Amino acid sequence: MSAPSVSRLDLVTTWGVIRIAACGGALLRCDLPVRPAARRAPRVTCCRLTAATPADRRALARAEKFVRACLAGKKTPAPPPLRPEVPGAFTLRLLGELQKIPRGTTVTYGELARRLDRPGAARAAGTACGANPLPLFIPCHRVVAAGGALGGFSAGLGWKKFLLASECAA
């Protein structure tokens, strides 16, 4: 039996290509282009859809609406179903906890670890945030270092700064 086909949406933006993969009607990953700090917000210039199934087409259409709202600094609609593939139960639990952080607010890596009953595991929380395969849909950008420093972000701090600023402006 062959593995299920993965469908893909490429959103070409002024910051590079955002690639979103789906299978079985759920999003698997979202790869952001690594971008240094930019003066202007990214905007979508065109899209390419490679979808194998109607369920994936629907999920990717919802993903496109979500990303366009996110980039425009607007309140985002509910995301499509998500099925992140991550190593370990801690990371999976952490991704679930990230989805509870309200838009426009931040928590520290230490607070996130405490919420998971793992006080002292701030570094592990940071590592798990870095493993987030769906950074636009599971808001790891809302987690900062102790003292309010930004910490890291898989696609670069330009993205993290942009996402936090756009949420606060909306």
Side-chain angles (χ1 to χ4, degrees), residues 62-132:
R62 285 180 62 189
E64 181 182 354
K65 287 179 185 175
F66 184 97
V67 171
R68 285 181 181 271
C70 182
L71 298 184
K74 297 178 179 172
K75 187 173 182 340
T76 53
L82 307 175
R83 195 173 66 236
E85 295 176 356
V86 294
F90 177 76
T91 302
L92 193 57
R93 284 182 51 224
L94 180 130
L95 295 181
E97 194 63 34
L98 288 173
Q99 293 174 296
K100 298 175 187 175
I101 302 170
R103 178 182 166 84
T105 63
T106 59
V107 301
T108 65
Y109 294 104
E111 171 60 25
L112 189 57
R114 281 188 292 282
R115 289 181 183 188
L116 295 169
D117 297 322
R118 296 275 307 269
R123 185 166 289 172
T127 300
C129 284
N132 178 4

